[in-house]
């Protein structure tokens, strides 16, 4: 029996997917991030370790569409209003970062007798940071809306915009026949590139929306997705034909649709392709790391990567301080952007294609870039550990604000939950004492006219100073669920006459609060019930029926929580009880929804619940 022939593409695809499935979850679990997982997977299956995939160049060219689609999605986010709002950090902080980083690296290259073109390309690449790594880290840390996150996003946005002139600059410095003062000036190629960009912008403004409207009216989602991919690939090919990068073409295509009513649909359709292809891009980068070169010159390459990261750290930290970020935010900002980013690979690849640098130089630079990416999660992990230790020390010794007077209600935490509670209480004339431990949040809320006090509610001296001994009610609205629970236990033990209300993250914490006799509300429960009520009304049920069903459901859930409390540690009993009561609830709700409501009551309830 002849051996079955397995297509090479199918076999290699299985290897890529298998390596990603094995490596990425492990790296995510240990806190090193998915990007490093992809890089590690590429190194392992690449030609320098297991040698399962040898043709890395073909994979690299195909996987570049991951970067292309990422640029398309970034372009979709660039609206004039957002650019105007962030103009100072984008063009001020971002512009200074790119110019300073690129200029210093170029100067060092010249000082070490490197070819000026190689030094310039190296400076262009090192000036870039990894959008994929930085945005993932900021999202995981919940820092996207904090000063460090907003500043990092602004700099990344400027870097994405800077790709456009940098790609044109590669054409200008490429060695060729038309030379002016040692610099190649292919004016015909530049004219073609500029003309194409102008045509794309005009076409996008006057032709693209009618075409999208026509495609959307077909009602076929797969055709809409096909057109979105066709648009990205088509524009990318056009840009390649005039000597510019595919990523630049995708970016322009995204900007053309930034204010389109189809933007959200395009984002949802392209995101899965972007994620998968971007993962493949990082795998191909891992495969391209020349381990033989690293092993032959380990101190040089590792030292160069460490030196570049340290240099960027110092420069970014100083830049953040110059724009008046606090120390912690400045360090977070610097660490997040300290690596050399994926666009460096694109720049180096384009530089090789243009004949600006050699393949050997590109391989060396790619190895340095990949190693710099490895450092970011490790440095951030070390920073978080050190910062938490320092914060704990400061909490023990830091002075809290002076409390102007003792009030009957104390609200601990002035985030999303604490703000709503405070607004409600203040609206009926009950002004609480508000305690918050985040200085940035305090500064923001004071700009809105509120007077929160700085302090750590977990410290007994802060509680005493806030007047807990004479307070009637303590509302625990802080984000840290464990700190809130420990504070509740302390107050219950030492000030049993104080009533305590708390936000509970999940059912586990609800049971913990019930153990000590404290009333609490799950963070998302009431919002979810209200949303479910609205869903019933949208499905055609009357407002009275929807309200009744939601009210019955809430009653059932509260009863179930009290019934489960004595047995909540026995999962088998909990599952059995939940299944049984769920069936009872379904029968009850069905009877409610199908019951005939008397005309008088129905009319009264309908009048109460009609939308204005």
């Amino acid at each position: 029996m002849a051996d079955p022939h397995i297509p090479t593409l199918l076999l290699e695809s299985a290897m890529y997917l298998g390596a990603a499935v094995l490596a990425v979850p492990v790296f995510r679990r240990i806190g090193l991030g998915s990007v490093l997982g992809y890089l590690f997977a590429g190194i392992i299956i690449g030609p320098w370790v297991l040698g399962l995939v040898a043709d890395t160049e073909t994979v690299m060219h195909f996987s570049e569409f991951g970067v292309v689609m990422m640029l398309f999605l970034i372009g979709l986010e660039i609206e004039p209003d957002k650019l105007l709002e962030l103009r100072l950090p984008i063009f001020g902080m971002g512009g200074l970062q790119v110019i300073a980083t690129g200029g210093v690296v170029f100067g060092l290259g010249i000082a070490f007798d490197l070819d000026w073109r190689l030094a310039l390309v190296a400076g262009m690449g090192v000036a870039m940071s990894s959008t994929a790594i930085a945005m993932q880290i900021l999202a995981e840390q919940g820092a996207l809306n904090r000063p460090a996150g907003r500043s990092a996003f602004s700099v990344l946005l400027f870097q994405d915009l800077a790709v456009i002139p940098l790609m044109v600059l590669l054409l200008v410095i490429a060695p060729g026949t038309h030379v002016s003062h040692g610099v190649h000036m292919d004016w015909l190629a530049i004219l073609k590139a500029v003309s194409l960009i102008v045509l794309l912008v005009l076409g996008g403004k006057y032709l693209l929306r009618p075409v999208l409207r026509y495609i959307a009216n077909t009602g076929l989602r797969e055709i809409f997705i096909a057109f979105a991919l066709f648009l990205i690939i088509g524009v990318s090919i056009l840009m390649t034909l005039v000597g510019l990068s595919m990523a630049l073409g995708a970016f322009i295509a995204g900007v053309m649709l930034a204010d389109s009513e189809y933007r959200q649909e395009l984002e949802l359709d392209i995101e899965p392709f972007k994620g998968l292809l971007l993962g493949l891009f990082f795998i191909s980068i891992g495969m391209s790391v020349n381990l033989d070169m690293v092993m032959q010159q380990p101190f040089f390459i590792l030292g160069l990567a460490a030196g570049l990261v340290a240099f960027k750290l110092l420069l970014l930290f100083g830049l953040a301080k110059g724009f008046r970020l606090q120390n912690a935010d400045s360090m977070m900002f610097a660490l997040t952007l300290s690596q050399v980013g994926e666009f460096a690979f694109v720049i180096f690849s384009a530089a090789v294609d243009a004949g600006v640098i050699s393949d050997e130089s590109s391989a060396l630079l790619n190895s340095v870039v990949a190693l710099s990416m490895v450092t970011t999660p490790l440095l951030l992990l070390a920073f978080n550990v050190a910062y938490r230790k320092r914060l704990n020390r400061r909490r023990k010794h830091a002075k809290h604000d002076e409390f102007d007077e003792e009030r009957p209600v104390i609200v601990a935490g002035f985030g999303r939950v604490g703000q709503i509670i405070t607004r409600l209480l203040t609206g009926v004339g009950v002004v609480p004492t508000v305690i918050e431990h985040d200085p940035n949040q305090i500064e923001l809320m004071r700009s809105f006219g509120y007077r929160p006090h700085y302090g750590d509610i977990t410290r007994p001296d802060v509680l005493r100073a806030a007047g807990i001994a004479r307070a009637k009610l303590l509302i625990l609205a802080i984000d840290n669920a464990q700190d809130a629970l420990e504070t509740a236990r302390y107050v219950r033990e030492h000030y049993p006459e104080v009533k305590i209300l708390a936000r509970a993250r999940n059912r586990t914490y609800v049971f913990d609060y019930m153990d000590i006799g404290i009333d609490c509300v799950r963070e998302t429960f009431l919002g979810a019930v209200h949303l479910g009520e609205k869903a019933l009304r949208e499905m055609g049920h009357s407002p009275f029926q929807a309200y009744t069903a939601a009210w019955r459901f809430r009653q059932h859930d509260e009863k179930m929580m009290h019934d489960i409390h004595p047995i909540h540690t026995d999962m088998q009993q909990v599952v059995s009880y939940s299944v049984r009561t769920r069936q009872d609830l379904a029968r009850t709700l069905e009877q409610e929804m199908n019951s005939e409501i008397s005309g008088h009551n129905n009319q009264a309830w309908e009048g109460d619940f009609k939308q204005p």
Side-chain angles (χ1 to χ4, degrees), residues 154 274 456 550:
S154 300
K274 185 269 294 184
D456 181 5

Side-chain angles (χ1 to χ4, degrees), residues 206-222:
Y206 297 106
L207 297 178
L208 203 51
R209 283 192 179 181
V211 174
L212 281 169
R213 188 179 303 114
Y214 171 76
I215 298 294
N217 286 335
T218 65
L220 298 174
R221 188 184 179 196
E222 62 272 18

Side-chain angles (χ1 to χ4, degrees), residues 307-325:
L308 288 176
V309 169
F311 157 68
K312 290 192 72 174
L313 266 175
L314 292 173
L315 187 145
L316 289 164
F317 184 82
L319 189 64
K321 294 299 293 180
F323 279 80
R324 299 182 179 178
L325 267 66

Side-chain angles (χ1 to χ4, degrees), residues 288-290 293-294 301 348 352 357-369:
S288 69
V289 175
N290 192 326
M293 179 181 292
V294 175
I301 295 179
F348 298 154
V352 171
I357 63 174
S358 65
D359 289 328
E360 293 76 14
S361 298
S362 177
L364 173 64
L365 292 172
N366 283 341
S367 299
V368 171
V369 171

Side-chain angles (χ1 to χ4, degrees), residues 116-117 120 165 168-192 354 356:
W116 70 270
R117 291 186 178 89
L120 185 57
V168 175
L169 183 59
L170 285 177
L171 287 177
V172 174
I173 67 174
T177 54
H178 304 288
V179 176
S180 174
H181 302 291
V183 179
H184 172 60
M185 304 292 284
D186 192 341
W187 294 109
L188 181 60
I190 296 175
L191 180 62
K192 288 180 180 178
V356 177

